[in-house]
Amino acid sequence: MGINSSRDFIKELKAHPENFYIIHYSCQSLYDDNASLSPRITSIAITHFSTEQTVSFSTHSIAEELHIARDQVINRFDDVERQLLREFYAFVRDRRDKYWVHWNMRNLTYGFEHLEHRYRVLGGTDASVIPVERRLNLNDLLANRYGSDYAADPKMKNLMESNGGIHRDFLTGPEEVEAFGRNEFIRMHNSTLAKIGFFYRVMHKLVTGKLKTASRGFGVTLDRIFEGRAAKAIGLVATIVTIPIATWQGYLWIWST
């Protein structure tokens, strides 16, 4: 089944939650102030929706596995990043047919193509490429359901604020760049985990109709009350029409006996 709308997404997520993985990653600055031409990957986190189990690949854990001292991580970042991506693609290899939910991982600047590019730059030749049609942008799905104004910009942070508040480990883009400059890789990884945990909660609230957004309008109100806008609206109208008819028929039956 292809997913072409938020309605398809919710239907499939309810029917087969085991087929959905949520992914997010952190990296070096997305601009031209890096030593390399493309931003280095510092951590990747993946959550399986149906079990809420999270698997992560991070600079500090990989460096420790490779017995690289803290003060040598920057000098040996190629080794660390290569192994991080190698382990990531080994995890993806048998799950390429699943749905991968992400937040604006669209292109070579920041996205699946960026991960693939970094792996090739570091000598990797066996990247397990996730098909484009299996990648689902949560930001686009929310806009499809609630309208493009579902949250003020920056949308992730404001949506988080409306649904429980900002997580203590959350870092903005500029804050992650600063953390990288200070070699605070655990802090960057914790931010990635905070964001992926938030995406899980957004998906859960989306399915249960409990997601709080800034959108207004009758259609959005129906979505929040009911699971399917068109079907439930028709059902609501049918109920309104049926009740007086049934009442009138009962009245006629009583007086005819």
Side-chain angles (χ1 to χ4, degrees):
M1 172 184 175
I3 293 180
N4 301 307
S5 67
S6 58
R7 184 178 301 175
D8 294 341
F9 176 67
I10 292 172
K11 182 179 179 181
E12 187 67 13
L13 189 59
K14 285 181 176 180
H16 301 288
E18 71 280 2
N19 288 339
F20 289 80
Y21 287 85
I22 312 166
I23 181 172
H24 195 66
Y25 74 94
S26 61
C27 63
Q28 201 176 5
S29 173
L30 298 178
Y31 301 101
D32 289 326
D33 51 351
N34 302 319
S36 56
L37 294 177
S38 56
R40 290 187 178 276
I41 311 302
T42 58
S43 67
I44 305 173
I46 301 166
T47 293
H48 187 219
F49 184 78
S50 66
T51 62
E52 203 179 349
Q53 294 297 305
T54 298
V55 176
S56 58
F57 312 93
S58 60
T59 295
H60 67 278
S61 63
I62 297 295
E64 195 167 31
E65 291 172 7
L66 296 177
H67 305 291
I68 298 174
R70 183 189 297 269
D71 60 358
Q72 291 299 311
V73 171
I74 294 299
N75 293 334
R76 295 191 57 188
F77 217 114
D78 281 2
D79 297 330
V80 174
E81 188 181 9
R82 183 187 304 109
Q83 183 62 22
L84 186 156
L85 290 168
R86 181 181 293 125
E87 293 184 12
F88 164 67
Y89 282 119
F91 180 87
V92 170
R93 186 162 297 120
D94 296 329
R95 300 171 176 87
R96 295 173 61 252
D97 61 332
K98 307 303 182 182
Y99 287 111
W100 291 79
V101 182
H102 60 93
W103 189 277
N104 291 342
M105 288 175 53
R106 299 177 184 275
N107 49 44
L108 185 58
T109 300
Y110 181 83
F112 294 93
E113 286 76 12
H114 176 209
L115 298 176
E116 295 161 19
H117 172 73
R118 285 303 305 167
Y119 193 44
R120 288 195 299 270
V121 167
L122 295 166
T125 58
D126 57 344
S128 305
V129 178
I130 298 169
V132 173
E133 61 272 16
R134 310 304 288 187
R135 310 172 189 177
L136 304 175
N137 190 345
L138 186 57
N139 180 32
D140 289 344
L141 291 166
L142 293 175
N144 177 258
R145 187 150 185 92
Y146 298 112
S148 59
D149 59 347
Y150 73 85
D153 293 324
K155 293 189 184 302
M156 186 195 300
K157 186 175 182 179
N158 282 304
L159 188 65
M160 188 181 289
E161 187 71 66
S162 301
N163 289 271
I166 305 298
H167 193 282
R168 65 180 180 276
D169 292 326
F170 175 89
L171 296 177
T172 63
E175 288 171 339
E176 287 191 353
V177 172
E178 292 175 4
F180 183 91
R182 294 192 292 265
N183 299 340
E184 295 175 343
F185 302 118
I186 296 178
R187 188 171 175 227
M188 294 180 72
H189 182 57
N190 287 340
S191 175
T192 303
L193 293 175
K195 291 172 184 177
I196 205 169
F198 172 65
F199 300 153
Y200 170 85
R201 292 190 294 276
V202 167
M203 290 169 63
H204 188 267
K205 288 185 177 184
L206 179 62
V207 168
T208 58
K210 296 180 180 179
L211 185 66
K212 296 179 181 179
T213 71
S215 302
R216 297 291 183 268
F218 180 68
V220 172
T221 301
L222 279 180
D223 276 341
R224 287 172 175 166
I225 298 175
F226 303 115
E227 293 176 359
R229 178 181 299 179
K232 297 300 182 177
I234 292 171
L236 179 62
V237 172
T239 300
I240 293 172
V241 172
T242 301
I243 289 175
I245 292 176
T247 302
W248 176 248
Q249 288 177 336
Y251 173 81
L252 293 177
W253 181 80
I254 291 172
W255 281 101
S256 66
T257 56

